[in-house]
């Protein structure tokens, strides 16, 4: 159903321990750092405008997340993003809560217009709103997804030469040509805050493993591997958990102990025609 080397990607992450520079939100900072450590990456959170450019330049990937915005964070994101773009460092952007307020919409537009984003990842509601194709959010949560979202993602991705990812019960990834549909994961992911933010950080780690100035197809394949690892880890964690609290702990353990051969066995990935 697919021809991806998930094992190879995970091994690369563990081998090179990518430095992921995160400008993320106040709710999830600690769990994003712990999730990155658990997969074998090296997280750093840096926000000061005096240092974000320098940090982004030495990082393997930059992860921008607009969950709890203010103007100094936005300024930091743009400075870091420009530095990353100059060096070819891959940049992932998570437009948390876009559609909830005009300010969030304006900031998402500024980031997308002013930076070259390597990967744009949101829940299905956020992605529909960003693409102007419908979809609904309530605060930071998706309420609904437009039927034609995957095809609209493919068109946007091709036009802008970036990877698009919409998550939910089913996840969609596209490089503008191929569309991958993934069916792993667990409803407990929607019962903890930050499941999307942790995923964004981990996607950053896999992009870092792909290296600087890689092509969009390579970055997309790294993202599909990251999603498969994360969501199979969530399934393993859910088997041990009794509720959201123990699930989060079990998720760190499952990411840390992840047997990649098991991910390859359990991954439910459909790769849909190049066009
Ligand atoms: P939200 O703010 O709505 O929680 P998010 O940014 O947290 O959105 P999600 O779409 O919830 O992002 O996706 C986060 C992770 O949880 C992804 O890995 C996704 O595959 C998984 N996921 C979300 N909902 C489900 C579900 N019902 N069943 C299986 N996996 C899910
Ligand atoms: N409020 C602002 S950011 C945030 C909340 C609750 C966390 C959102 O995390 P996720 O991963 O998008 O569910
Ligand atoms: Mg969530
Ligand atoms: Mg989110």
């Amino acid at each position: 159903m697919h021809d991806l080397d998930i094992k190879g990607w995970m091994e690369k992450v563990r081998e090179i321990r990518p430095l992921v520079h995160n400008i993320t939100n106040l709710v999830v900072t600690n769990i994003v750092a712990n999730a990155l450590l658990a997969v074998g990456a090296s997280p750093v959170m840096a926000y000061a405008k005096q240092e974000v450019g320098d940090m982004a330049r030495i990082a393997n990937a930059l992860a921008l997340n607009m969950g709890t915005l203010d103007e100094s964070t936005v300024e930091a994101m743009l400075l870091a993003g420009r530095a990353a773009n100059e060096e070819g460092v891959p940049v992932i952007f998570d437009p948390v809560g876009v559609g909830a307020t005009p300010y969030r919409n304006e900031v998402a537009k500024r980031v997308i217009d002013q930076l070259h984003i390597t990967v744009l990842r949101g829940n299905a509601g956020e992605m529909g709103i960003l693409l102007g194709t419908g979809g609904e959010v309530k605060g930071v949560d998706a309420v609904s997804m437009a039927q034609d979202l995957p095809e609209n993602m493919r068109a946007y991705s091709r036009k802008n030469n970036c990877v698009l990812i919409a998550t939910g019960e089913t996840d969609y990834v596209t490089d503008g040509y191929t569309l991958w549909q993934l069916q792993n994961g667990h409803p407990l992911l929607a019962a903890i805050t930050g499941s999307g933010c942790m995923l964004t950080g981990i996607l950053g780690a896999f992009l870092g493993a792909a290296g600087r100035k890689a092509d969009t197809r390579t970055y997309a394949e790294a993202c599909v591997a990251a999603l498969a690892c994360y969501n199979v880890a969530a399934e393993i964690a859910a088997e041990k958990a009794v509720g959201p609290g123990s699930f989060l702990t079990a998720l760190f353990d499952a990411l840390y102990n992840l047997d990649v051969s098991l991910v390859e066995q359990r991954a439910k990935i459909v790769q849909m025609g190049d066009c």
Side-chain angles (χ1 to χ4, degrees):
M1 297 246 254
H2 68 88
D3 52 19
L4 295 166
D5 181 13
I6 297 171
K7 193 160 185 266
W9 281 112
M10 185 75 231
E11 283 169 356
K12 223 169 170 182
V13 170
R14 287 173 171 158
E15 184 193 317
I16 70 170
R17 299 190 69 81
L19 177 66
V20 183
H21 176 191
N22 300 273
I23 298 181
T24 187
N25 69 69
L26 295 168
V27 183
V28 303
T29 303
N30 177 278
I31 60 173
V32 170
N34 276 311
L36 278 164
L37 285 171
V39 291
S42 181
V44 62
M45 277 59 182
Y47 296 87
K49 65 179 179 211
Q50 292 84 351
E51 72 164 352
V52 285
D54 294 327
M55 191 65 82
R57 278 177 213 282
I58 60 166
N60 296 100
L62 174 67
L64 304 176
N65 174 310
M66 60 171 226
T68 49
L69 283 175
D70 59 49
E71 270 311 288
S72 74
T73 311
V74 177
E75 192 187 342
M77 284 188 196
L78 294 173
L79 283 169
R82 277 185 212 115
N85 283 171
E86 277 166 26
E87 302 296 327
V89 172
V91 181
I92 177 163
F93 177 47
D94 186 340
V96 181
V98 69
T101 65
Y103 182 56
R104 277 175 200 266
N105 297 348
E106 185 260 309
V107 169
K109 185 169 174 347
R110 247 197 286 167
V111 171
I112 290 166
D113 287 351
Q114 292 186 28
L115 301 178
H116 175 69
I117 300 298
T118 314
V119 178
L120 190 52
R121 186 219 68 94
N123 64 49
E126 291 161 347
M127 293 307 286
I129 284 160
L130 263 189
L131 270 50
T133 57
E136 213 184 323
V137 294
K138 180 180 174 193
V140 298
D141 291 324
V143 175
S144 71
M145 170 186 139
Q147 282 290 328
D148 51 0
L149 180 64
E151 273 319 308
N152 286 313
M153 285 169 58
R154 183 139 67 179
Y156 181 100
S157 163
R158 191 180 294 202
K159 185 165 166 235
N160 294 284
N161 194 26
C162 64
V163 178
L164 257 66
I165 305 176
T167 53
E169 191 177 346
T170 302
D171 304 307
Y172 300 93
V173 180
T174 183
D175 64 349
Y177 298 88
T178 301
L179 180 72
W180 291 269
Q181 189 177 315
L182 295 94
Q183 292 286 1
N184 294 98
H186 193 277
L188 274 169
L189 283 165
I192 58 168
T193 192
S195 61
C197 304
M198 286 189 281
L199 171 64
T200 293
I202 289 172
L203 287 161
F206 281 67
L207 294 173
R212 296 181 177 195
K213 299 179 186 166
D215 56 36
T216 302
R217 171 78 188 197
T218 304
Y219 286 133
E221 291 183 358
C223 289
V224 177
L227 257 165
C229 289
Y230 183 72
N231 278 341
V232 170
E235 291 172 8
I236 294 165
E239 286 160 15
K240 303 203 166 119
V242 293
S246 50
F247 173 67
L248 180 60
T249 306
L251 181 57
F252 293 142
D253 294 344
L255 289 168
Y256 183 78
N257 293 310
L258 199 58
D259 170 355
V260 194
S261 306
L262 193 64
V263 178
E264 293 204 318
Q265 279 168 36
R266 289 176 69 151
K268 294 179 200 148
I269 304 173
V270 180
Q271 183 169 325
M272 286 182 275
D274 296 322
C275 74

